[in-house]
Amino acid sequence: MKEVVIVGAGVAGLSAAAELREQGWDGHLTIIGDETHRPYRRPPLSKDYLSPGIPESVAIPQADDLDATWLLGLPATGLDLDARTVLRGSSDPVRFDGLVIATGAHARQVPTNLRGIDGVLTLRGLDDADRLRAALTNDPAVLVVGAGFLGTELAATFRARGLPVTLVDRARLPMIRALGAELGSRVAELHETHRVHLKLGRNVRQLLGNGRVSHAHLDDGTAVRAELVVVATGSEPTTGWLLSSGLAITSGLLVDSSGVASPGIVAAGDVASLRHPLIPGSPVRIEHFANAAEQGTRAAQALLELKPRRPMPVPSFWSHFYHWRLQSVGFTGDSFAYQTVETGPGEQFVGEFRHDGRLVGAVANNNPAAIVKYRRRLQVEME
Amino acid sequence: MRVQVDRALCELHAQCVFIAPGVFSLTADDDLEYDETPAPGQHAAVRQAALACPAQAIRLLASL
């Protein structure tokens, strides 16, 4: 295998590249990315990166040690499995022997009724974050649309800057998909304690303003001041470029347990969809930083036809908002039965998620030792 | 290899503990402790841990 192409210059792609070199593969490596940036950390973009002052760099330094050809600023537009090439619009196709697909996800489009007026932003990548920073300099009243992870973190970040914040979601509770109703209620209380105006079970009907947004009308008939609107309604896997490739797309690119989509083609990160031993049934995508890194490593090992060095990773996520330091392992959310099993000072807690009585996940606030313990337990369950 | 964790950046995600348990661990008081000079057999795992740290708190230096 002389030529490996990695499509996607995020953490999953970087992790795959690093593992190829770690294993001593010395062929020619090309990394294709649609952004102009080399790999960077996304998590700070909704938190510290939006604080006043000059933000710390989010670049990942390991990217510079790879001995790779970087083709940045142009997305892949197609995949020709017969010719074994990646198409890049009108630029030359790039030939590969082995391929790593790590194109991640992109923010869901701003709904039609919120377009056509200035002051409406989404946050997915570094360029978005820079635009958002610029929009914060005049201390706007902010409307955040979507109260999942991102919307919750953003609301907290904007409140820390002293901005008035309205948080709207059509669901009845924040983070209900990720955490379930009981914890979602606690997150709602936390927002209210920090004087976020919560509008749950609500939609934005229309934005008003003279060229630039100044107010939002909600479907309960109320109007809220909104000089900046941030739409945080989730993301979709970036698989459009693969639709005519012949690979199996099912909300994400389907891969087996070692990350293989097709001979000589592997995938990792937000784009990859896989059946996980902890959850029987439909394939899932695991959209968090640590998983991207772990999947990238496994995908590279599969490409080199090595047996995986470590067991299949247990999914995990973390989220920081206000004084909460939330971490989880395994599968969580409103599809499972939740129970708090431990509480401690400073709103510390540990809770379990079960499916038909079987432990599938755990969540903890300010208790990393509990997470380490549950991860080991879930790892054993998987064997 | 010398490992240095920047305590100001460390947020106790414990990904390093999952990826390189022979080098990183949590104490009873939820503090991170680690081997500053891991054995060669651990170096690959430590490099992966450094990459996977969401806070980029792990610095790897050449041995003296």
Side-chain angles (χ1 to χ4, degrees):
Chain A
M1 191 172 61
K2 296 208 285 260
E3 297 268 355
V4 168
V5 172
I6 298 180
V7 186
V11 156
L14 172 57
S15 186
E19 183 64 9
L20 288 173
R21 293 309 192 203
E22 186 73 57
Q23 294 294 340
W25 183 77
D26 61 359
H28 183 239
L29 183 59
T30 304
I31 302 178
I32 295 173
D34 65 340
E35 295 177 77
T36 56
H37 311 286
R38 288 201 181 182
Y40 58 85
R41 289 176 297 134
R42 190 185 315 286
L45 301 183
S46 55
K47 303 182 266 302
D48 289 352
Y49 198 82
L50 299 179
S51 297
I54 300 174
E56 305 237 349
S57 168
V58 289
I60 302 179
Q62 288 90 332
D64 301 327
D65 301 330
L66 294 171
D67 184 20
T69 300
W70 294 86
L71 298 179
L72 298 176
L74 210 59
T77 50
L79 178 61
D80 184 338
L81 286 187
D82 295 323
R84 287 186 93 70
T85 56
V86 174
L87 307 175
R88 293 166 69 230
S90 51
S91 286
D92 290 339
V94 185
R95 234 213 126 264
F96 62 86
D97 300 319
L99 177 68
V100 179
I101 294 174
T103 43
H106 53 275
R108 273 213 184 92
Q109 256 198 337
V110 172
T112 338
N113 64 325
L114 303 186
R115 292 187 222 159
I117 194 167
D118 285 344
V120 181
L121 299 177
T122 54
L123 175 62
R124 176 71 194 170
L126 191 48
D127 294 342
D128 297 329
D130 287 334
R131 275 186 281 270
L132 187 47
R133 279 183 55 83
L136 292 171
T137 47
N138 292 323
D139 292 339
V142 191
L143 170 65
V144 179
V145 182
F149 278 106
L150 183 57
T152 288
E153 289 176 0
L154 286 173
T157 297
F158 297 146
R159 284 303 296 135
R161 287 184 68 130
L163 303 175
V165 177
T166 305
L167 179 59
V168 177
D169 198 312
R170 60 182 167 194
R172 63 189 184 88
L173 289 170
M175 298 181 84
I176 192 171
R177 267 187 31 230
L179 296 180
E182 188 174 322
L183 293 178
S185 284
R186 295 188 59 179
V187 174
E189 276 168 26
L190 206 52
H191 280 307
E192 282 174 337
T193 303
H194 286 85
R195 307 209 302 200
V196 169
H197 300 116
L198 269 185
K199 297 281 192 177
L200 298 168
R202 292 271 151 252
N203 282 311
V204 179
R205 183 172 290 139
Q206 202 187 4
L207 297 178
L208 299 167
N210 198 354
R212 192 170 186 84
V213 64
S214 64
H215 285 85
H217 278 191
L218 305 186
D219 60 0
D220 61 357
T222 61
V224 298
R225 241 180 87 216
E227 292 149 347
L228 170 63
V229 178
V230 186
V231 178
T233 50
S235 60
E236 287 167 337
T238 304
T239 51
W241 68 288
L242 294 169
L243 290 178
S244 45
S245 66
L247 295 176
I249 312 290
T250 153
S251 163
L253 172 61
L254 192 59
V255 297
D256 70 13
S257 62
S258 43
V260 178
S262 172
I265 300 179
V266 295
D270 292 355
V271 79
S273 184
L274 59 141
R275 288 185 175 82
H276 199 282
L278 281 174
I279 300 293
S282 310
V284 291
R285 292 186 307 114
I286 301 166
E287 296 182 85
H288 291 279
F289 185 92
N291 294 109
E294 286 191 84
Q295 283 186 24
T297 304
R298 283 170 71 84
Q301 289 165 2
L303 202 57
L304 294 171
E305 295 179 351
L306 297 170
K307 277 202 151 28
R309 295 310 177 83
R310 266 202 305 278
M312 198 160 170
V314 181
S316 64
F317 72 68
W318 59 273
S319 187
H320 292 178
F321 45 93
Y322 308 115
H323 56 287
W324 276 32
R325 293 281 184 265
L326 211 57
Q327 279 176 290
S328 86
V329 282
F331 291 89
T332 62
D334 61 352
S335 321
F336 309 109
Y338 173 78
Q339 192 177 40
T340 300
V341 298
E342 209 182 294
T343 56
E347 286 185 73
Q348 224 191 33
F349 65 82
V350 180
E352 292 181 353
F353 290 91
R354 289 177 180 272
H355 179 66
D356 290 341
R358 215 176 19 94
L359 180 75
V360 293
V363 65
N365 183 28
N366 271 301
N367 196 335
I371 291 300
V372 170
K373 210 180 65 189
Y374 274 101
R375 181 169 163 139
R376 294 209 175 107
R377 207 168 131 186
L378 289 170
Q379 209 99 58
V380 167
E381 282 237 1
M382 278 163 46
E383 283 157 19
Chain B
M1 171 191 280
R2 270 196 308 133
V3 181
Q4 214 176 64
V5 174
D6 187 332
R7 300 291 184 171
L9 295 178
C10 174
E11 294 174 336
L12 289 175
H13 295 288
Q15 290 303 321
C16 54
V17 175
F18 301 142
I19 293 172
V23 177
F24 300 94
S25 59
L26 288 183
T27 66
D29 301 316
D30 271 1
D31 253 327
L32 178 71
E33 62 182 4
Y34 61 96
D35 183 352
E36 290 188 32
T37 50
Q42 299 279 16
H43 288 191
V46 172
R47 278 190 285 270
Q48 274 159 34
L51 181 53
C53 173
Q56 280 285 296
I58 301 174
R59 215 141 281 145
L60 304 179
L61 310 161
S63 303
L64 294 169

